[in-house]
DNA sequence: TAAAGCATGTAAGAGGTTACATGATTGG
DNA sequence: CCAATCATGTAACCTCTTACATGCTTTA
């Protein structure tokens, strides 16, 4: 999560640590602590994904290097199996503009399939629990299950919209609204 | 999270570790690993919240003790400030039946206030980002923001239903559908 | 009888948090 | 000038995960 968010934010412009923490908070996914961010930046630098340079005083500006940019693309497309699926997928969406249309559709489809699967599971477990022979679960457990079904349905419909928009954009290849191909160094 | 889930599951009946792992998975919030569960159970026992007893062979059955039951009530009502707010709140709902109506309403109201606050923040940040002078964010960032607003609205409406149901039940105090007061030892 | 599932546990390591420590700069 | 915010970092601690280790029981 941290790696994806940091590399994604640095994809557009170099930033220093404190600024990164704020941008990370603005993204709204979670607020990372300094005790996590600074060691994380150190690690990303050690791994050769970013470079730091002191600007003026004590400020350290971090910038993405090509190896980091490929790693970002990897993180954006890799098949994961996290519990944090939702948060992770939404974080990816925030940097979707760095992927090409075909890759975006693949990713949206994969997510859609997962949700369809989850919806089927939820419905099955609701039917099971409401069947005869069972003592019905309490009101809050039922409410929780129903909410799960409804919100999954809403997310699937949302993905359908995104997929449709993406396909219709690919039909008109003139548009360059989203994909910023190439690299920041290629200018 | 683990403590709340384990104590909540043991509130109704003693279980052994392996069984707990399955029940935890059934709850659908996350699948805990053995490397987390067993040390966790050991810790909860050390803290005096649960007791274990070998039944027959190598199986170890864990049961809640009174100190653990008060701790469960504490975990269910404590004011938290987690990033995991949603997951945590939903886990609480799964054990809401162990709280009395007044406490449940207090908890639902608090959650509702948080969501109203978040909704206001999201809307403000959407207006800001769509204002003139800004370069509009890309389609996916906008979709993400809109989805956030919609799903928060849906959750507030959902909470309103739960609160209304809770209030109407309190108006008819004959019902004992949910609250299972007292303790399992009081029988 | 072999595979799948039941059952408990440890070790190493990753990553996160809070609290601590330090000091510059900016705005009221 | 004082408080808030900017800015970077370390240390101790906690919890989680994966991988490993072991061995019993049920079922196809």
């Amino acid at each position: 999560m941290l790696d994806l968010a940091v590399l994604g934010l640095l994809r557009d412009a170099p930033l220093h640590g404190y600024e990164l923490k704020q941008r990370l908070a603005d993204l709204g996914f979670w607020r990372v602590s300094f005790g996590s961010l600074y060691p994380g930046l150190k690690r990303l630098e050690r791994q050769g994904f970013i470079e730091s340079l002191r600007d003026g005083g004590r400020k350290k500006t971090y910038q993405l290097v090509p190896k980091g940019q490929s790693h970002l693309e990897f993180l954006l497309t890799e098949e994961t199996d996290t519990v944090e699926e939702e948060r992770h997928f939404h974080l990816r969406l925030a940097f979707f503009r760095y992927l090409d249309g075909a890759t975006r559709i693949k990713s949206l489809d994969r997510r859609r399939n997962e949700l369809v699967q989850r919806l089927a599971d939820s419905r099955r477990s609701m039917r099971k629990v409401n069947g005869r022979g069972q003592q019905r679960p309490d009101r809050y457990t039922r409410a929780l299950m129903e909410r799960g079904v409804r919100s999954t349905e809403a997310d699937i419909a949302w993905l359908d919209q995104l997929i449709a928009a993406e396909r219709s954009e690919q039909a008109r290849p003139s548009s360059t609204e989203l994909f910023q191909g190439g690299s920041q160094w290629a200018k």
Side-chain angles (χ1 to χ4, degrees), chain A:
Chain A
M1 283 284 287
L2 183 69
D3 292 17
L4 176 55
V6 166
L7 298 181
L9 284 173
L10 294 180
R11 173 65 169 73
D12 244 2
L15 296 167
H16 51 262
Y18 198 90
E19 237 173 335
L20 269 167
K21 187 183 190 308
Q22 291 174 141
R23 299 290 191 95
L24 248 22
D26 289 346
L27 283 180
F29 294 103
W30 88 112
R31 324 112 239 202
V32 76
S33 65
F34 287 124
S36 180
L37 179 60
Y38 285 120
L41 286 168
K42 205 165 255 183
R43 175 175 47 77
L44 286 169
E45 189 171 17
R46 205 173 53 237
Q47 294 171 326
F49 298 137
I50 61 178
E51 269 174 16
S52 68
L53 40 114
R54 297 257 162 201
D55 71 350
R58 71 211 166 294
K59 269 198 244 183
K60 238 182 179 174
T61 299
Y62 293 92
Q63 65 173 18
L64 202 61
V65 297
K67 187 180 167 191
Q69 183 160 341
S70 1
H71 189 58
L72 171 61
E73 265 150 59
F74 168 72
L75 292 176
L76 282 171
T77 50
E78 152 205 47
E79 294 199 35
T80 54
D81 178 34
T82 318
V83 188
E84 291 288 354
E85 253 322 323
E86 174 152 323
R87 198 196 293 284
H88 192 195
F89 176 72
H90 290 170
L91 184 55
R92 280 181 175 181
L93 281 192
F95 302 118
F96 241 41
R97 59 177 174 282
Y98 302 128
L99 296 175
D100 64 281
T103 310
R104 289 201 291 252
I105 289 190
K106 212 186 287 175
S107 191
L108 293 168
D109 268 333
R110 194 161 58 224
R111 173 72 180 161
R112 190 186 188 283
N113 289 337
E114 285 165 13
L115 291 187
V116 166
Q117 183 60 54
R118 183 186 310 178
L119 185 58
D121 290 347
S122 304
R123 282 212 235 258
R124 189 156 28 74
S125 114
M126 264 180 79
R127 267 196 303 274
K128 183 187 164 188
V129 109
N130 285 317
R132 349 141 261 301
Q134 302 276 327
Q135 71 160 12
R136 277 182 99 207
D138 66 89
R139 178 168 13 108
Y140 285 100
T141 302
R142 289 198 310 271
L144 218 38
M145 293 178 122
E146 280 154 24
R147 180 200 170 278
V149 165
R150 274 200 307 275
S151 78
T152 304
E153 284 168 345
D155 269 345
I156 290 171
W158 178 62
L159 285 178
D160 285 338
Q161 276 182 33
L162 292 179
I163 291 167
E166 190 63 61
R167 284 201 210 282
S168 87
E169 177 168 327
Q170 279 183 46
R172 301 175 283 100
S174 59
S175 170
T176 55
E177 197 215 332
L178 273 169
F179 182 47
Q180 300 168 1
S183 88
Q184 49 180 309
W185 304 275
K187 284 176 196 173

